[in-house]
Amino acid sequence: DVKVTQSSRYLVKRTGEKVFLECVQDMDHENMFWYRQDPGLGLRLIYFSYDVKMKEKGDIPEGYSVSREKKERFSLILESASTNQTSMYLCASSSGTGMGGTEAFFGQGTRLTVV
Amino acid sequence: KNEVEQSPQNLTAQEGEFITINCSYSVGISALHWLQQHPGGGIVSLFMLSSGKKKHGRLIATINIQEKHSSLHITASHPRDSAVYICAVRSYNTDKLIFGTGTRLQVFP
């Protein structure tokens, strides 16, 4: 069974903390994505990566950075967490060439609350 | 205006009813995805289609490229179908996924 695994289901962090969200996939996919999901806004792309050490900004990259040192792992970093980064974060991966690939597989989500 | 619009936003049904969720989009696409998100957050891909119709169990997805419209149908709905259903299109120009805001379905016994 294919899997995209996010390291935490729920996280509570304080304003100003550095936060790491980890995502691991076991499908040997080239493409990995980080989205945030907010009520009424749908999923919005933060960053994506189409190869090891490669990263591209999505639609809302401000306040975030990413790291892809290994093909199976894509990390999202909140350099200094703020309350407006309270959200559901979803990681996804897909195969294929280019930015999009084919079918996307999603992790279970991390609900982050910044207090 | 959102590039991907879903309707209705919320839907309640009695067990056994036939359900239709609609998705309209305004961009050129290479594919359209239907996703299911259960309470707790995890998302499962139901269908990816670029033309015609696909069926999986009680779920049917159709797409009309000319009209830029897709529908997700659930036959003989069941309480376990209760979830948020999300339509997403892959932009032909940018190759990125653009998501609708989802349709929250509740099926009561």
Side-chain angles (χ1 to χ4, degrees):
Chain A
D1 206 15
V2 297
K3 274 222 172 123
V4 177
T5 304
Q6 294 181 227
S7 53
S8 304
R9 291 294 302 274
Y10 300 95
L11 272 180
V12 180
K13 295 292 182 181
R14 294 195 179 278
T15 301
E17 277 193 73
K18 190 169 186 176
V19 182
F20 293 86
L21 302 182
E22 306 285 347
C23 176
V24 177
Q25 50 95 2
D26 63 1
M27 295 163 282
D28 202 35
H29 283 169
E30 295 86 0
N31 308 313
M32 295 188 76
F33 310 84
W34 274 107
Y35 297 92
R36 65 177 281 177
Q37 183 181 31
D38 300 288
L41 296 177
L43 278 79
R44 293 179 292 167
L45 181 64
I46 305 171
Y47 267 97
F48 65 98
S49 167
Y50 52 89
D51 202 352
V52 177
K53 296 193 186 292
M54 305 299 288
K55 59 186 179 185
E56 293 282 343
K57 292 180 180 179
D59 300 317
I60 50 164
E62 296 79 20
Y64 303 95
S65 62
V66 289
S67 171
R68 186 133 182 237
E69 295 297 317
K70 293 184 178 182
K71 191 176 185 180
E72 67 270 18
R73 187 180 295 270
F74 191 36
S75 302
L76 179 69
I77 304 155
L78 285 66
E79 298 290 343
S80 177
S82 64
T83 55
N84 62 13
Q85 291 179 309
T86 292
S87 186
M88 169 71 86
Y89 290 87
L90 287 145
C91 173
S93 72
S94 69
S95 64
T97 58
M99 291 186 290
T102 56
E103 186 175 359
F105 295 86
F106 287 83
Q108 78 275 29
T110 297
R111 190 169 292 281
L112 172 68
T113 302
V114 182
V115 297
Chain B
K1 189 179 187 299
N2 292 335
E3 293 170 304
V4 179
E5 297 271 3
Q6 288 184 236
S7 63
Q9 289 186 341
N10 295 283
L11 183 56
T12 58
Q14 289 294 126
E15 184 173 355
E17 283 186 17
F18 181 85
I19 287 161
T20 296
I21 300 170
N22 295 300
C23 176
S24 296
Y25 53 90
S26 57
V27 297
I29 70 167
S30 55
L32 182 143
H33 299 251
W34 280 104
L35 310 168
Q36 181 190 56
Q37 185 175 31
H38 278 283
I43 290 178
V44 174
S45 177
L46 298 175
F47 295 102
M48 183 178 72
L49 62 164
S50 54
S51 66
K53 178 178 174 177
K54 286 191 175 180
K55 185 176 189 292
H56 181 70
R58 295 179 295 105
L59 301 177
I60 303 166
T62 64
I63 188 169
N64 185 319
I65 296 294
Q66 287 72 31
E67 293 186 4
K68 296 189 173 180
H69 181 270
S70 175
S71 293
L72 177 68
H73 306 285
I74 305 175
T75 62
S77 60
H78 190 275
R80 65 175 174 267
D81 297 325
S82 298
V84 175
Y85 292 85
I86 301 170
C87 172
V89 301
R90 188 174 303 286
S91 165
Y92 184 82
N93 288 334
T94 67
D95 213 27
K96 291 181 186 175
L97 284 176
I98 306 169
F99 293 83
T101 54
T103 295
R104 184 175 298 278
L105 170 66
Q106 288 184 289
V107 182
F108 293 99

